[in-house]
Amino acid sequence: MAGTAATVNLSSAPYLLRRIYAFSSNDIKVGSNIEVDGAPWRVLEFLHVKPGKGAAFVRTKLRNYMSGTTVERTFRAGITVEEADVFKETKQFTYKDGSMFVFMDLTTFEEVRLNETDVGDKKKWLKEGMDCNLLFWKGKIIDFEVPITVQLTVVDVDPGLKGDTASGGSKPATLDTGAVVNVPLFVNIGDEILVDTRTGQYMTRA
């Protein structure tokens, strides 16, 4: 029936057949997705080293998409590195069903459910109707990204100080998603603010 939403669990997320790529370690850069020991990793840092003696190499700092573990790893210059076939799909966070977070593809109306562990600390930025990027690898969702900037409402904060718009002071404020951020003294309950989700810092009033 048209418009009927299908529910897809994390373990059976859709997998699109895509080409497997390989590239030289010399081409590694920040943001590259590589497959090492059967797992997908994202390159956080890299440095090409050419010692006076011996072979050149590439020193990297990697984050495992599956476990979140960060490690340092060195590759010989010029060796072949397999690219992890990680790709993004935009889904809208539609509602929370018990402990499950439900995301919908607005084209197919197919639903994907993530549990509390999958979502992790990012849940404090989630609002219904928010577009997020889900990252897939070999048919599994391995990560998801919230927008860098989100607009949220202050629901609890100490009263603002009249005329105090330039002071460097701050105070904790609870937002409608449950997140707590430090805001300027002049911010009041009901104010809409912009927050950088990468740092959790207040940016400005909306």
Side-chain angles (χ1 to χ4, degrees):
M1 181 183 298
T4 301
T7 299
V8 179
N9 291 323
L10 182 62
S11 60
S12 58
Y15 176 54
L16 302 180
L17 295 178
R18 295 165 182 256
R19 290 179 59 189
I20 302 299
Y21 293 94
F23 57 94
S24 168
S25 61
N26 295 332
D27 297 323
I28 289 176
K29 59 185 178 181
V30 173
S32 294
N33 296 313
I34 63 176
E35 189 168 328
V36 180
D37 299 330
W41 299 77
R42 181 178 178 84
V43 178
L44 303 179
E45 300 175 9
F46 76 97
L47 178 66
H48 293 280
V49 180
K50 295 181 179 179
K53 294 182 179 180
F57 59 91
V58 183
R59 181 182 295 125
T60 65
K61 184 175 182 180
L62 310 174
R63 181 176 68 85
N64 188 308
Y65 275 111
M66 309 294 285
S67 65
T69 303
T70 300
V71 301
E72 293 185 355
R73 181 139 182 170
T74 299
F75 299 90
R76 295 197 315 274
I79 68 167
T80 299
V81 179
E82 185 173 340
E83 182 178 8
D85 188 20
V86 176
F87 64 96
K88 299 179 181 180
E89 290 187 358
T90 300
K91 311 285 185 183
Q92 186 179 91
F93 173 56
T94 51
Y95 64 96
K96 194 167 183 284
D97 182 13
S99 62
M100 304 299 289
F101 295 79
V102 183
F103 296 80
M104 179 179 288
D105 186 309
L106 296 183
T107 301
T108 64
F109 302 105
E110 186 175 74
E111 290 183 348
V112 176
R113 293 171 177 255
L114 303 183
N115 60 36
E116 296 270 1
T117 301
D118 299 325
V119 173
D121 194 47
K122 296 176 185 176
K123 66 182 180 182
K124 65 185 179 184
W125 309 122
L126 281 175
K127 289 188 69 172
E128 292 184 2
M130 178 180 289
D131 286 341
C132 302
N133 288 323
L134 273 61
L135 278 66
F136 291 83
W137 177 72
K138 293 188 176 180
K140 297 180 180 180
I141 299 172
I142 56 174
D143 199 1
F144 89 102
E145 302 170 339
V146 295
I148 292 175
T149 302
V150 293
Q151 181 173 326
L152 302 174
T153 305
V154 176
V155 297
D156 187 29
V157 72
D158 289 339
L161 301 179
K162 292 184 178 180
D164 194 353
T165 59
S167 171
S170 65
K171 58 187 178 181
T174 303
L175 309 180
D176 52 342
T177 58
V180 177
V181 301
N182 287 322
V183 299
L185 299 177
F186 56 81
V187 171
N188 287 299
I189 292 176
D191 286 350
E192 298 278 335
I193 66 172
L194 300 181
V195 180
D196 186 327
T197 59
R198 297 168 300 183
T199 61
Q201 293 183 344
Y202 166 91
M203 298 172 65
T204 184
R205 280 195 292 197

